[in-house]
Amino acid sequence: MKEDNLNIKDPVLSIRNLSVAYDKGSYAVKDVSADIKRNAVTAIMGPSGCGKSTMLRAINRMHELYENIETKGSLILNGKDITDMPTIQLRRMAGMVFQRPNPFPTLSIYDNVIAGYKLNGIRLKKKERDDVVERSLRDVTLWDEVKDTLHKKGTFLSGGQQQRLCIARALAFDPEVILLDEPTSALDPVATSKIEDLLVKLKENYSILMVTHNMSQAARISDYSMFMYLGELVEYGKTKDMFTNPKDRRTEEYLTGKFG
Amino acid sequence: MNSAAKITAANLSRRTLKDKLFKGLVLFLSLITISPIVLIIYKLVEKGYRQISLNFIIKTPPNTFEAMTAVSNGELIPGGIANGITGTLLMVVLASVISIPVGVITGIYLYENPGKPLANLTRNISDILQGVPSIVLGLIAYMWIVKPITSGFSALAGSVSLSIMMLPMIVRSTEETLKMIPQSIKEAAVALGVPYYKVILRVLIPTGFSGLLTGILLGISRILGETAPLMLTALGSSVINLDITKPTSAIPLLIWEFYNDPNMVDLIWSSSLLLMGMVLTLNLVSKRIAARTK
């Protein structure tokens, strides 16, 4: 990786020599190190199969759901190694939003927002619950659209609304960092631009790490960008700098559409 | 140019004819497929409807003499099949209580460990179990329950043989239903830090609930009409019995008994009508539930 001298102070997340292998020896992420800035949007770009989603999911220890995935290196979230935390605590601190909107089909809009509390058996008073639901839905600008239908199933919403509901579900835990895995790739342009506006607004209170295969999206909303290729972090810098003056030939070729 | 056009026209009419013939054949074969069920229901209703009344549901069967008198006087046969209805319900409920938990848990195990040797073995054995003749299951329940446990024919033994019949259907439908739930739903729950057993109990099972229910209802409708295993286990009873350690009647057993008594012929048809009605209802309900989930 080219040295960028980013010198990010008090990072929300430090990735240190992270490698992830699906089968023994074949690494999808190779020795990646980076510091993620607080209260900023950081985009991870790269062609399909470059390891960007794999890296993102490692931060939430999502890989523990599957066997035979080997993770090396360390991830320090808010000064603490994530492997030292119970998964419930880690996942409260690092909320995740997926490529396709995935609200729980059996739960209402209201229950979807507080699903993290409900499913973990964390009891809240009615007032607290109402507050969490309203705050989270207001944060994702969904409140006015659904406040009269809170007890309808979440799956009745449009795709874009469902994705905002899923972001609200992640926000309900008041996380340190929100991990988004191509959150708009299944949405139409209007819904996409709503989510993009929302992410820019959310960085006031949250740190956002987003995988995207859409370069113009990264250029529009991110403060920092990573470019990954074949599992390696090729370049990491301020988005403005990277798009105007990429330091690596591969980054330049990707940004100018020569591959990817 | 002209002749080429003619050939095309001839071709076209031949194709149209072929198409019509094929459509006709498909329609004809479809009619053949649906005709048995239509004829069965028609026959059952035609022959059985007269006996169906409140008494038919709340009274036990008459003895041969009563039936003979009624038939020779040209009256309806008195009494009903209350002992069969209660016996069938008792054994179906008990069989469900045994096979649903075992089947659902086994199905979850198969879903969670798709490639493991034990899971493959379990899946294969479950498939083989589905093909075991029901009379053999009756024999097994006779050896396991009738002789050593209830020391006599019993509803419990009948339920055990029926539950073994239901088990593979529930295992399979649980596994298939869970497989149909998108991985993303599971990941959504895991990403919220939900422990894995709760993901299964509180997310996967509720999400696939209607699929599970469909499998269970189809399993019940499969065992409702089973006769052979019950002959070796529940035996039959002329009175209403709710004690699971005692011989018990069931609707299909009564149909068999009526068949062996020339005076009871009319009751065969009405009992069959009732049984068919129950099976059809369960099938339709489960189809509705399945359709609603898609």
Side-chain angles (χ1 to χ4, degrees):
Chain A
M1 183 191 142
K2 299 268 155 57
E3 276 306 318
D4 291 292
N5 299 320
L6 274 176
N7 208 358
I8 290 169
K9 290 197 185 72
D10 184 29
V12 65
L13 176 74
S14 292
I15 303 169
R16 288 281 163 266
N17 306 100
L18 181 73
S19 296
V20 183
Y22 283 100
D23 291 310
K24 278 236 165 356
S26 86
Y27 285 91
V29 174
K30 293 174 200 157
D31 199 27
V32 170
S33 296
D35 287 337
I36 308 298
K37 189 162 167 57
R38 237 175 242 285
N39 295 90
V41 176
T42 305
I44 311 172
M45 291 182 292
S48 303
C50 71
K52 52 194 192 303
S53 291
T54 304
M55 185 169 89
L56 192 78
R57 294 159 69 93
I59 299 167
N60 203 326
R61 279 165 58 191
M62 207 63 180
H63 297 321
E64 288 174 11
L65 190 55
Y66 305 96
E67 282 172 45
N68 305 324
I69 297 185
E70 189 195 337
T71 312
K72 282 197 290 200
S74 60
L75 288 153
I76 315 292
L77 180 61
N78 240 4
K80 250 185 113 180
D81 193 310
I82 62 161
T83 48
D84 294 339
M85 298 181 202
T87 47
I88 162 89
Q89 192 196 342
L90 167 64
R91 287 166 186 161
R92 282 185 80 151
M93 287 173 70
M96 184 131 186
V97 177
F98 297 83
Q99 195 166 352
R100 294 194 162 273
N102 54 359
F104 296 114
T106 51
L107 300 184
S108 64
I109 294 170
Y110 185 97
D111 286 341
N112 256 292
V113 177
I114 51 160
Y117 295 94
K118 246 178 110 83
L119 297 175
N120 279 307
I122 302 168
R123 286 191 201 293
L124 294 179
K125 292 199 184 81
K126 171 97 171 73
K127 177 82 175 63
E128 290 172 317
R129 258 183 295 153
D130 290 346
D131 287 349
V132 169
V133 170
E134 183 170 345
R135 173 182 62 77
S136 309
L137 288 175
R138 277 192 193 282
D139 276 352
V140 298
T141 63
L142 195 59
W143 176 254
D144 290 327
E145 292 160 59
V146 302
K147 64 181 177 209
D148 301 320
T149 52
L150 284 175
H151 294 284
K152 267 196 170 176
K153 293 258 160 30
T155 39
F156 282 121
L157 299 173
S158 73
Q161 290 175 319
Q162 286 189 21
Q163 192 63 304
R164 279 183 282 151
L165 176 61
C166 293
I167 298 175
R169 181 172 65 191
L171 294 183
F173 266 158
D174 207 9
E176 288 294 324
V177 54
I178 308 169
L179 311 167
L180 301 108
D181 189 356
E182 300 191 16
T184 60
S185 65
L187 303 179
D188 64 75
V190 176
T192 299
S193 89
K194 274 195 181 165
I195 302 244
E196 289 179 358
D197 293 347
L198 170 65
L199 293 177
V200 172
K201 199 186 78 167
L202 285 176
K203 74 178 177 188
E204 288 168 21
N205 298 314
Y206 304 96
S207 312
I208 293 167
L209 186 57
M210 174 178 66
V211 164
T212 178
H213 61 183
N214 182 337
M215 279 178 271
S216 51
Q217 180 171 61
R220 275 196 301 273
I221 65 170
S222 72
D223 303 294
Y224 291 82
S225 290
M226 293 183 189
F227 173 65
M228 286 181 75
Y229 186 61
L230 298 175
E232 286 171 43
L233 178 56
V234 174
E235 191 164 341
Y236 178 30
K238 288 205 165 119
T239 303
K240 240 188 310 172
D241 300 343
M242 196 193 280
F243 275 79
T244 50
N245 185 21
K247 295 190 181 66
D248 192 286
R249 192 178 45 80
R250 288 167 294 178
T251 316
E252 186 182 339
E253 285 180 357
Y254 179 73
L255 292 176
T256 51
K258 293 220 172 87
F259 70 91
Chain B
M1 201 55 209
N2 210 357
S3 70
K6 265 181 197 159
I7 290 166
T8 318
N11 239 338
L12 192 65
S13 67
R14 201 163 64 219
R15 285 183 188 198
T16 320
L17 183 68
K18 265 194 199 164
D19 189 43
K20 278 186 180 152
L21 275 175
F22 191 73
K23 271 186 188 157
L25 185 70
V26 168
L27 192 68
F28 175 68
L29 293 177
S30 310
L31 284 176
I32 287 189
T33 309
I34 62 168
S35 58
I37 193 76
V38 173
L39 293 175
I40 289 169
I41 293 173
Y42 171 75
K43 202 72 186 169
L44 291 180
V45 172
E46 184 202 13
K47 294 234 175 196
Y49 84 95
R50 259 172 284 132
Q51 289 286 339
I52 303 273
S53 64
L54 184 61
N55 277 346
F56 184 70
I57 294 168
I58 60 168
K59 293 243 167 87
T60 48
N63 60 36
T64 310
F65 182 72
E66 287 166 341
M68 196 172 67
T69 322
V71 170
S72 62
N73 292 339
E75 292 162 6
L76 289 177
I77 300 173
I81 56 166
N83 53 340
I85 296 171
T86 51
T88 290
L89 290 180
L90 175 70
M91 285 190 281
V92 164
V93 169
L94 200 55
S96 306
V97 168
I98 298 169
S99 59
I100 291 171
V102 179
V104 169
I105 291 169
T106 309
I108 292 172
Y109 172 74
L110 296 186
Y111 162 76
E112 283 300 326
N113 304 282
K116 287 212 177 126
L118 182 59
N120 288 337
L121 184 70
T122 310
R123 192 179 298 108
N124 289 337
I125 285 179
S126 162
D127 285 350
I128 294 167
L129 195 59
Q130 193 147 26
V132 173
S134 57
I135 187 111
V136 176
L137 297 179
L139 274 169
I140 294 299
Y142 180 85
M143 295 305 295
W144 285 352
I145 314 284
V146 174
K147 289 193 82 176
I149 295 180
T150 52
S151 33
F153 296 104
S154 65
L156 179 65
S159 303
V160 168
S161 63
L162 294 181
S163 68
I164 302 174
M165 286 196 74
M166 256 177 103
L167 196 58
M169 298 188 72
I170 295 178
V171 170
R172 253 298 144 99
S173 72
T174 304
E175 189 191 3
E176 296 302 323
T177 304
L178 292 177
K179 269 199 216 158
M180 271 165 44
I181 299 175
Q183 186 72 11
S184 61
I185 300 290
K186 198 164 142 184
E187 290 186 337
V190 173
L192 289 171
V194 180
Y196 203 72
Y197 76 95
K198 276 195 185 167
V199 175
I200 292 174
L201 291 181
R202 304 209 40 193
V203 177
L204 294 183
I205 290 190
T207 306
F209 182 73
S210 45
L212 294 186
L213 194 62
T214 306
I216 290 167
L217 291 182
L218 286 177
I220 290 176
S221 80
R222 174 83 188 79
I223 61 167
L224 265 183
E226 268 311 317
T227 324
L230 297 184
M231 288 175 165
L232 305 179
T233 51
L235 189 69
S237 156
S238 56
V239 293
I240 294 174
N241 168 51
L242 296 176
D243 181 346
I244 60 168
T245 63
K246 293 270 154 46
T248 303
S249 193
I251 303 174
L253 283 177
L254 282 178
I255 294 174
W256 172 244
E257 285 167 23
F258 295 151
Y259 174 79
N260 288 319
D261 188 332
N263 298 309
M264 306 276 207
V265 178
D266 284 350
L267 288 178
I268 298 177
W269 295 104
S270 43
S271 310
S272 304
L273 179 61
L274 186 73
L275 189 59
M276 190 73 195
M278 289 164 78
V279 172
L280 270 184
T281 311
L282 273 177
N283 265 292
L284 291 179
V285 168
S286 58
K287 283 239 164 66
R288 277 294 282 275
I289 294 171
R292 220 177 34 191
T293 12
K294 283 194 185 119

